[in-house]
């Protein structure tokens, strides 16, 4: 378009010039070697312009003839290069589709048409074809050759890393990933793998430093980087908790500033402050975390803040937590457990039942069973609550890749992923109410709760022996043959029509023996 505009402008200028000369006629005289040459001005201008055009055309012809051998060579070279790139493109598509035969054929054709030192994609195509055909040694050799070229070094390292992961050579994979991350921290796969490897080895300082490089290179977003840094700081604080409480406190509080709702950081910070006898500050951190998200571990840490507190003092602290988040399941369970320790069974039972009404889950029913065991010791009632716990939904726990842990961990023990643990119901059970009919409500469980049995006197024989004896007596009663029917005797007096007294009782109660009854037949079953 620009060339067309320039050509049009040039034509207009020439036309304007000729029209200007035509409007101003004149003669042009030239004396050369005594001869006078005279012509019109417009004829002279036309001749001059024609001479310039002839010179330009002649120069173009001479230049074309002079450079024709190079032009022919360049034409055939470009054609060969185009054929080579076409074969290379076809081979890469075939390798992506899994066609090893076509990929190998196109790789050989590309190598014949192109120079491998100038086009590294040929080596990549050969490596991919070798991987498809299962010749992993040849593929690794190709990837190692790529690492020698600065242009393909990152590609070669990634190929070697994937091969090492396939073979299970974790140490070699770690070295390849770290080498790639050191040279190019902006590579997401290398940075992520190196971060996980350093975390698995407990090299928290190196992991944090690498995370800062990723953040500066914008490999990860700022929010994600802050979350991962909080996880790494919490993990380092957990290791420092026993040996360096001050360092653990600094790391945990920094993690809380990065992620305010991260419960493990709040727990570690509070424990570090407890070791420094800063009870008030630690309690403030736990209270703030409890307001944001009540967690059982936060409640246990808060209630047992001081080791010298009595059970009543711990109950008061639990009630303070309940005041911060009233009508919450975790608050009610914390108060109920503290009430059990303080032997305030009425309050413990009321709080546990209230928690079961809000969310009928396993922990509430297990706590009711503990209350029964501590207060009444009635095995029937204890089994009743345990049966309800078996049918209730499971409690939330720290879950990562199907692995359930009783405490938070920075890495998944299955995949090694950082920040993989989530507080949720394990085994894929949905949080919230269970399916209709699957769980008995607390009101129905209370209606079917058996009454408290009278406590039996203590016996020197253990409970297992008593249960075995009762079972043997039941078997003997079932094995006893039924007495033969006797014809009814005729009435001889008025007293014969009276009803016979009942001398029996429960299956495990022989009752009072009737002296007028016939002796019982002997059996061969011996109980003792």
């Amino acid at each position: 378009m620009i060339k067309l505009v320039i050509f049009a402008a040039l034509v207009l200028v020439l036309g304007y010039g000729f029209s200007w000369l035509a409007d101003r006629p004149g003669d042009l005289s030239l004396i050369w070697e005594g001869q006078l040459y005279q012509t019109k001005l417009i004829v002279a201008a036309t001749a001059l312009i024609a001479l310039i055009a002839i010179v330009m055309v002649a120069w173009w012809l001479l230049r074309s003839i002079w450079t024709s051998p190079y032009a022919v060579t360049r034409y055939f070279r470009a054609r060969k290069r185009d054929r080579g790139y076409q074969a290379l493109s076809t081979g890469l598509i075939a390798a992506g589709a899994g066609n090893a035969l076509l990929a190998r054929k196109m790789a050989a054709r590309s190598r014949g048409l192109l120079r491998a030192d100038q086009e590294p994609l040929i080596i990549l195509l050969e490596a991919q074809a070798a991987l498809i055909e299962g010749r992993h040694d040849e593929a690794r050799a190709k990837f190692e050759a790529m690492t020698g070229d600065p242009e393909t070094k990152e590609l070669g390292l990634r190929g070697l890393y994937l091969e090492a992961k396939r073979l299970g050579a974790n140490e070699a994979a770690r070295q390849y990933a770290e080498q790639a991350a050191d040279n190019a921290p902006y590579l997401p796969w290398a940075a992520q793998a190196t971060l996980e490897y350093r975390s698995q080895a407990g090299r928290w300082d190196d992991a944090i430093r690498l995370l800062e490089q990723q953040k500066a290179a914008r490999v990860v977003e700022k929010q994600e980087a802050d979350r991962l840094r909080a996880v790494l700081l919490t993990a380092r604080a957990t290791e420092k908790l026993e040996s360096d409480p001050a360092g653990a406190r600094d790391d945990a509080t920094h993690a809380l500033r990065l992620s305010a709702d991260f419960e493990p950081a709040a727990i570690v910070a509070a424990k570090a402050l407890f070791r420094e006898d800063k009870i008030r500050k630690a309690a403030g951190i736990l209270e703030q975390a409890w307001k944001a998200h009540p967690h059982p571990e936060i409640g246990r840490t808060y209630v047992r803040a001081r080791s010298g507190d009595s059970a009543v003092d711990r109950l008061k602290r639990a009630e303070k937590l309940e005041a911060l988040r009233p009508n919450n399941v975790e608050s009610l369970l914390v108060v109920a457990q503290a009430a059990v320790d303080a032997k305030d069974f009425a309050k413990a039972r009321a709080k546990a039942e209230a928690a079961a009404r809000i969310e009928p889950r396993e922990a509430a029913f297990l706590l009711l069973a503990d209350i029964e065991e501590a207060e009444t010791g009635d095995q029937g009632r204890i089994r009743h609550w345990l049966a309800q716990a078996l049918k209730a939904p499971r409690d939330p726990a720290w879950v990562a890749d199907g692995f359930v842990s009783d405490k938070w961990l920075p890495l998944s023990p299955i995949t090694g992923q950082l920040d993989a643990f989530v507080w949720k119901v394990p085994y894929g059970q949905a949080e919230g109410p269970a399916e209709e009919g699957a769980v008995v409500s607390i009101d129905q469980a209370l209606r079917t709760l058996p009454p408290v049995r009278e406590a039996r006197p203590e016996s020197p024989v253990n409970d297992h022996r008593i249960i075995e004896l009762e079972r043997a007596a039941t078997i003997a009663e079932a094995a006893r043959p039924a007495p033969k029917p006797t014809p009814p005797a005729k009435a001889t007096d008025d007293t014969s029509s009276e009803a016979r007294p009942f001398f029996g009782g429960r299956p495990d109660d022989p009752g009072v023996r009737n002296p007028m009854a016939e002796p019982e037949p002997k059996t061969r079953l011996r109980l003792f």
Side-chain angles (χ1 to χ4, degrees):
M1 183 66 183
I2 296 177
K3 292 182 179 180
L4 181 62
V5 172
I6 293 174
F7 178 77
L10 182 62
V11 171
L12 289 175
V13 170
L14 289 175
Y16 177 77
F18 278 109
S19 65
W20 186 80
L21 289 176
D23 293 339
R24 294 166 178 78
D27 295 331
L28 181 64
S29 300
L30 176 64
I31 300 176
W32 187 47
E33 292 183 356
Q35 295 291 333
L36 176 63
Y37 299 94
Q38 189 174 6
T39 183
K40 297 292 182 179
L41 181 61
I42 190 169
V43 174
T46 304
L48 180 62
I49 293 175
L51 180 62
I52 294 174
I54 292 171
V55 170
M56 292 178 64
V57 172
W59 174 255
W60 176 78
L61 289 174
L62 289 175
R63 185 173 178 274
S64 298
I65 295 171
W66 180 263
T67 60
S68 60
Y70 175 75
V72 172
T73 303
R74 186 176 60 182
Y75 168 76
F76 286 107
R77 186 185 303 166
R79 184 180 178 186
K80 182 180 179 181
R81 184 179 66 248
D82 293 342
R83 289 169 56 200
Y85 277 112
Q86 181 64 38
L88 181 61
S89 176
T90 304
L92 290 174
I93 294 174
N99 190 346
L101 181 62
L102 182 59
R104 175 67 61 182
K105 180 181 178 180
M106 291 296 106
R109 182 179 297 181
S110 301
R111 184 173 284 275
L113 296 173
L114 300 173
R115 294 178 57 183
D117 56 343
Q118 294 181 354
E119 186 48 67
L121 287 177
I122 298 177
I123 304 177
L124 174 62
L125 178 57
E126 292 174 346
Q128 293 296 326
L131 287 176
I132 297 173
E133 294 175 347
R135 293 181 281 107
H136 297 283
D137 294 337
E138 181 181 348
R140 283 195 296 274
K142 297 293 183 182
F143 288 130
E144 288 176 359
M146 290 183 191
T147 57
D149 187 358
E151 188 177 2
T152 60
K153 184 176 182 179
E154 299 171 4
L155 180 59
L157 288 174
R158 176 166 173 77
L160 293 173
Y161 168 77
L162 294 177
E163 280 296 295
K165 291 287 288 183
R166 183 187 63 82
L167 295 175
N170 295 326
E171 182 61 26
R174 181 189 63 80
Q175 293 179 3
Y176 291 134
E178 287 192 349
Q179 186 177 356
D182 292 338
N183 294 331
Y186 51 82
L187 293 175
W189 68 269
Q192 183 65 27
T194 306
L195 187 65
E196 292 178 358
Y197 283 130
R198 291 179 180 178
S199 301
Q200 291 173 5
R203 298 164 52 189
W204 308 115
D205 296 335
D206 295 338
I208 293 173
R209 190 180 308 111
L210 178 61
L211 183 61
E212 289 299 322
Q213 294 176 357
Q214 295 182 32
K215 184 179 178 181
R218 296 188 177 181
V219 177
V220 294
E221 298 294 335
K222 181 179 182 300
Q223 185 176 1
E224 183 182 358
D226 291 343
R227 172 72 181 190
L228 293 178
R229 183 177 176 83
V231 172
L232 294 174
L233 288 171
T234 304
R236 188 170 69 178
T238 304
E239 287 191 355
K240 293 180 179 179
L241 188 58
E242 298 296 335
S243 59
D244 186 11
R249 176 204 61 206
D250 295 338
D251 288 342
T253 51
H254 189 190
L256 279 177
R257 286 194 295 270
L258 294 173
S259 181
D261 58 345
F262 193 39
E263 297 89 359
I267 294 171
V268 175
K271 289 181 178 180
L273 290 170
F274 287 152
R275 282 167 172 76
E276 295 179 335
D277 293 332
K278 298 179 179 179
I279 307 297
R280 189 183 299 274
K281 189 174 181 180
I285 292 176
L286 292 177
E287 290 173 1
Q288 195 70 24
W290 184 266
K291 289 179 182 178
H293 180 69
H295 193 277
E297 185 64 24
I298 296 177
R300 287 191 290 268
T301 305
Y302 184 83
V303 170
R304 300 182 179 275
R306 289 189 291 263
S307 57
D309 286 350
S310 63
V312 177
D313 294 334
R314 292 197 297 268
L315 177 58
K316 292 179 180 179
R317 296 179 68 85
E319 289 175 343
K320 186 176 181 180
L321 284 181
E322 184 187 12
L324 295 176
R325 285 297 296 268
N327 298 325
N328 182 269
V329 176
E330 300 298 340
S331 299
L332 294 171
L333 292 177
V334 168
V335 175
Q337 184 62 55
V340 171
D341 297 338
K343 300 187 182 306
D344 190 350
F345 300 117
K347 178 176 290 188
R349 190 182 299 275
K351 297 298 182 181
E353 291 176 359
R357 284 188 177 89
I358 296 175
E359 188 176 346
R361 71 186 197 202
E362 184 182 20
F365 293 109
L366 289 177
L367 188 54
L368 286 169
D370 292 340
I371 295 171
E372 290 292 348
E373 184 177 8
E375 183 179 11
T376 64
D378 192 322
Q379 295 298 320
R381 296 167 69 93
I382 294 173
R383 293 193 191 97
H384 174 78
W385 291 122
L386 292 178
Q388 304 305 316
L390 288 175
K391 294 185 291 184
R394 303 283 79 81
D395 295 318
W398 291 111
V399 182
D401 301 320
F403 178 82
V404 182
S405 175
D406 57 348
K407 62 179 181 179
W408 175 84
L409 298 174
L411 296 166
S412 169
I414 307 298
T415 61
Q417 181 183 356
L418 189 64
D419 192 25
F421 276 92
V422 180
W423 182 256
K424 66 177 184 178
V425 177
Y427 309 120
Q429 294 189 11
E431 299 183 20
E435 296 181 1
E436 185 177 358
V439 180
V440 180
S441 64
I442 181 62
D443 296 327
Q444 185 176 353
L446 289 173
R447 285 195 301 267
T448 58
L449 183 65
V452 180
R453 294 183 183 180
E454 296 181 0
R456 295 185 179 182
E458 296 184 358
S459 173
V461 184
N462 55 28
D463 293 341
H464 178 72
R465 180 63 173 168
I466 293 174
I467 294 173
E468 291 297 331
L469 292 177
E470 291 181 352
R471 185 179 301 170
T474 305
I475 295 173
E477 185 69 23
R480 182 182 304 166
K484 296 180 179 181
T486 57
K490 296 182 179 180
T492 55
D493 53 3
D494 296 340
T495 59
S496 60
S497 60
E498 296 180 359
R500 297 179 61 186
F502 176 74
F503 296 100
R506 293 181 298 175
D508 57 346
D509 184 8
V512 181
R513 186 180 298 275
N514 185 6
M516 303 299 294
E518 295 180 0
E520 296 179 356
K522 295 182 178 180
T523 61
R524 292 186 179 181
L525 182 62
R526 298 182 61 186
L527 303 181
F528 307 101

